[in-house]
Amino acid sequence: MPRAERRDEVARWLEVVGLEGFGRHRPSQVSGGMAQRAALARALVRRPGVLLLDEPFAALDALTRLRMQDLLDEVRSAARTTILLVTHDVDEALQLADRIVLLSPGPAASITAALDVPVPRPREPSPWAATRPTRTCAPAPSTSAPPPAPPRCWRAPTAHP
């Protein structure tokens, strides 16, 4: 691939993962979530037929983890590549997978069950994933006077009977 084409491909994937403008930053200059997204972009630039991710979000805080899960779902659609995701998080598996394979415990693990996820795509994203991890949400408005249009990352509280 010619150098200019490689540069364009890198820029495209950095934009997809929300890191446009950070291409020259060193790993020590970005957050953990940004480093995870950079690693994802680095892998996708090579146009893999299969992408293997082993607990890719385990070290992230809860909010960044939800955003990364939704980003991975977007990237899966854009890249049109097969993703094999290893996770211990059942919710994460149900959100991201089309098929879930359960393994027996231990180093000599074997397949105990294989299940198709019965929920069609596109799936409902996390309510906190409406913004990219590099953006911050506006503070939630006071409950006494809600704004006419709440910020995308804020969900109005629901009344419980």
Side-chain angles (χ1 to χ4, degrees):
M1 178 184 306
R3 177 175 239 150
E5 192 177 325
R6 275 191 316 232
R7 197 172 326 175
D8 291 345
E9 188 75 0
V10 167
R12 180 175 86 86
W13 282 111
L14 285 174
E15 182 179 348
V16 168
V17 299
L19 290 176
E20 58 278 358
F22 287 93
R24 293 225 175 265
H25 283 67
R26 309 294 298 162
S28 63
Q29 297 174 305
V30 297
S31 70
M34 292 171 81
Q36 291 286 71
R37 288 182 284 141
L40 183 58
R42 188 180 316 112
L44 291 165
V45 160
R46 298 175 183 268
R47 299 179 187 159
V50 177
L51 186 61
L52 175 60
L53 302 173
D54 187 2
E55 295 281 352
F57 312 132
L60 302 177
D61 64 86
L63 185 57
T64 302
R65 183 181 185 118
L66 289 172
R67 290 175 177 163
M68 287 293 294
Q69 289 170 358
D70 289 329
L71 175 64
L72 181 62
D73 202 32
E74 290 174 28
V75 166
R76 178 202 51 80
S77 186
R80 298 192 164 278
T81 191
T82 298
I83 298 175
L84 179 60
L85 174 72
V86 176
T87 184
H88 290 92
D89 185 327
V90 174
D91 292 328
E92 184 172 84
L94 290 169
Q95 177 68 24
L96 297 174
D98 292 320
R99 189 159 201 240
I100 297 173
V101 177
L102 300 176
L103 301 176
S104 63
S110 61
I111 295 174
T112 60
L115 313 160
D116 290 325
V117 176
V119 181
R121 291 191 183 275
R123 298 199 180 123
E124 185 67 30
S126 159
W128 298 108
T131 60
R132 289 277 187 233
T134 55
R135 298 182 188 157
T136 56
C137 299
S142 70
T143 55
S144 60
R152 286 177 46 194
C153 61
W154 177 77
R155 187 166 48 161
T158 56
H160 295 287

